[in-house]
């Protein structure tokens, strides 16, 4: 609840600030309020909808099967591991799902930490040792216990809202300025005769500029989201190391380095424990730090002495 209140206050403060700027510059207050409502609805609405649908979307994307009752020794062992770790982390045991994939991977999702889901690939179950599988599960369990899914959604919602509001505010100012400049060059008769044309032109300018700015600002804003995502991976690794031992977590990460590249769509690949794709922008736009950096952080105990939870 605390993090929700803090993010809502941040979101409201940013909109009030930019709304005040628009009012000072002479924009209609009613238009500004309407813009604030639109930005809030679309900014937070999309993020919240994606959060509440995250489990069903993830399962359908990977064709995962929920294991409610163990049908073999491996499933029984997995369910027991999840139950034991959940008890240590003081959360409700998440659901377990298994999906068919060659890559060694797993992910956690869900709208609440006490109603979450952990999914593991068949490639992980076939190719990793039991100690490493347990470490991977512990990593995902720490994501759930830390409430990382809801925090990421709140951050995304705030950023979406700010991007929409700022982009459309700037677009509106530009449209007003261009309209004012045209008015200075026309006579009153020309203004009257070209009123419909002027309105259409203003709307077109507003649409084009706001669309461009939303893409432009959104690209830079995503850097913040990805930075936070990478930051939380280090904490999840450290939390897992506390549950299963640092050596086991490091060995699990080393095994993941030999995994096949995930082939699932991008909306799911960002959830994976191993999802880094090497490119020139990987340091800025990667949802996960490189495995080498994660291993180095564990070896040096950078995050081990810090709590894996915050807020």
């Amino acid at each position: 609840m605390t993090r929700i209140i803090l993010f809502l206050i941040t979101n409201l403060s940013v909109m009030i600030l930019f709304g005040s700027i628009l009012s000072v510059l002479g924009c209609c207050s009613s238009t500004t309020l309407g813009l604030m409502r639109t930005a809030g609805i679309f900014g937070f609405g999309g993020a919240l909808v994606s959060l509440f649908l995250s489990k069903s979307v993830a399962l359908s994307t990977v064709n995962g099967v929920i294991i409610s009752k163990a049908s073999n020794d491996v499933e029984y062992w997995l369910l027991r591991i999840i139950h034991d770790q959940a008890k240590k982390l003081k959360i409700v045991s998440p659901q377990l799902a298994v999906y068919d994939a060659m890559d060694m991977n797993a992910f956690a999702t869900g709208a609440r930490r006490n109603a979450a889901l952990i999914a593991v690939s068949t490639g992980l179950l076939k190719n990793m040792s039991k100690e490493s599988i347990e470490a991977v599960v512990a990593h995902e369990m720490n994501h759930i216990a830390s409430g990382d899914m809801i925090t990421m959604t709140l951050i995304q919602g705030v950023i979406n809202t700010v991007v929409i509001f700022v982009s459309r505010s700037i677009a509106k100012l530009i449209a007003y300025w261009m309209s004012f400049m045209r008015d200075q060059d026309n006579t009153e008769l020309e203004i009257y005769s070209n009123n419909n044309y002027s309105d259409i032109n203003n709307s077109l300018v507003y649409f084009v500029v706001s669309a461009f700015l939303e893409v432009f600002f959104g690209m830079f804003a995503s850097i913040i989201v990805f930075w936070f995502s990478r930051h939380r991976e280090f904490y999840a690794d450290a939390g897992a190391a506390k549950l299963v031992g640092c050596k086991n977590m490091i060995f699990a990460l080393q095994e993941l380095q030999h995994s096949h590249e995930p082939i699932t769509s991008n909306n799911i690949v960002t959830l994976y424990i191993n999802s880094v794709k090497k490119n020139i922008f990987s340091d800025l736009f990667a949802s996960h730090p490189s495995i080498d950096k994660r291993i180095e952080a564990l070896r040096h105990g950078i995050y081990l002495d810090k709590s894996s939870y915050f807020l």
Side-chain angles (χ1 to χ4, degrees):
M1 181 58 70
T2 302
R3 78 185 72 191
I4 294 175
I5 294 173
L6 286 175
F7 278 108
L8 288 176
I9 290 174
T10 301
N11 191 64
L12 184 61
S13 299
V14 170
M15 289 198 293
I16 290 175
L17 173 62
F18 280 94
S20 301
I21 293 173
L22 286 177
S23 298
V24 170
L25 293 175
C27 291
C28 178
S29 59
S30 61
T31 303
T32 302
L33 289 173
L35 188 55
M36 290 172 67
R37 286 194 297 268
T38 300
I41 291 171
F42 283 97
F44 260 103
L48 291 175
V49 168
S50 66
L51 175 66
F52 287 111
L53 296 178
S54 59
K55 285 170 64 172
S56 58
V57 170
L59 282 174
S60 62
T61 300
V62 299
N63 293 319
V65 178
I66 292 179
I67 309 299
S68 55
K69 187 176 181 180
S71 59
N72 54 55
D73 291 341
V74 173
E75 292 177 358
Y76 176 81
W77 175 76
L78 273 175
L79 289 171
R80 181 174 58 81
I81 289 297
I82 290 174
H83 175 76
D84 291 345
Q85 292 185 3
K87 188 175 181 179
K88 292 178 181 178
L89 293 171
K90 298 179 180 180
I91 60 174
V92 174
S93 294
Q95 290 178 295
L96 169 66
V98 176
Y99 64 97
D100 187 27
M102 291 189 299
D103 57 294
M104 296 183 285
N105 244 313
F107 65 87
T109 188
R112 295 184 296 114
R113 72 177 194 163
N114 287 325
L117 168 81
I118 287 181
V120 297
S121 69
T122 53
L124 180 138
L125 296 177
K126 292 176 181 177
N127 300 308
M128 293 187 79
S129 64
K130 281 192 173 183
E131 291 79 9
S132 294
I133 294 173
E134 187 174 354
V136 168
V137 171
H139 172 96
E140 300 304 335
M141 290 291 289
N142 271 271
H143 275 311
I144 295 171
S146 301
D148 286 342
M149 287 82 76
I150 182 64
T151 304
M152 285 292 295
T153 300
L154 291 170
I155 290 177
Q156 189 67 66
V158 169
I159 288 177
N160 289 347
T161 301
V162 172
V163 167
I164 293 172
F165 186 74
V166 172
S167 299
R168 297 188 182 187
S169 297
I170 294 174
K172 190 171 289 293
L173 288 173
I174 292 174
Y176 281 154
W177 178 78
M178 293 183 68
S179 178
F180 175 78
M181 295 301 293
R182 282 195 303 269
D183 290 347
Q184 298 300 308
D185 296 333
N186 293 329
T187 64
E188 290 186 2
L189 179 60
E190 288 174 329
I191 293 173
Y192 176 78
S193 61
N194 294 309
N195 187 50
N196 291 335
Y197 170 78
S198 179
D199 289 342
I200 294 174
N201 196 38
N202 288 343
S203 299
L204 182 62
V205 169
Y206 173 77
F207 175 79
V208 172
V209 173
S210 63
F212 171 78
L213 290 178
E214 284 181 25
V215 173
F216 180 75
F217 289 141
M219 180 181 67
F220 285 98
S222 65
I223 294 176
I224 300 173
V225 178
F226 286 129
W227 171 85
F228 180 82
S229 177
R230 293 193 299 272
H231 180 70
R232 293 310 303 164
E233 290 304 311
F234 288 120
Y235 276 104
D237 286 343
K242 292 177 182 178
L243 284 177
V244 301
C246 193
K247 289 184 179 179
N248 286 338
M249 189 63 225
I250 289 175
F251 188 70
L253 290 172
Q254 290 172 335
E255 286 195 69
L256 289 174
Q257 287 181 311
H258 304 292
S259 173
H260 292 278
E261 186 77 18
I263 59 174
T264 314
S265 58
N266 289 331
N267 64 320
I268 298 299
V269 78
T270 56
L271 298 176
Y272 287 154
I273 187 174
N274 181 24
S275 65
V276 175
K277 293 183 177 181
K278 299 295 183 181
N279 58 66
I280 59 176
F281 299 109
S282 61
D283 288 339
L284 287 177
F285 295 99
S287 60
H288 290 51
S290 68
I291 289 182
D292 287 334
K293 289 182 180 179
R294 293 165 66 179
I295 292 174
E296 183 181 358
L298 286 172
R299 282 176 173 164
H300 289 84
I302 298 175
Y303 295 87
L304 288 175
D305 294 333
K306 303 175 183 179
S307 174
S308 59
Y309 312 109
F310 74 108
L311 288 183

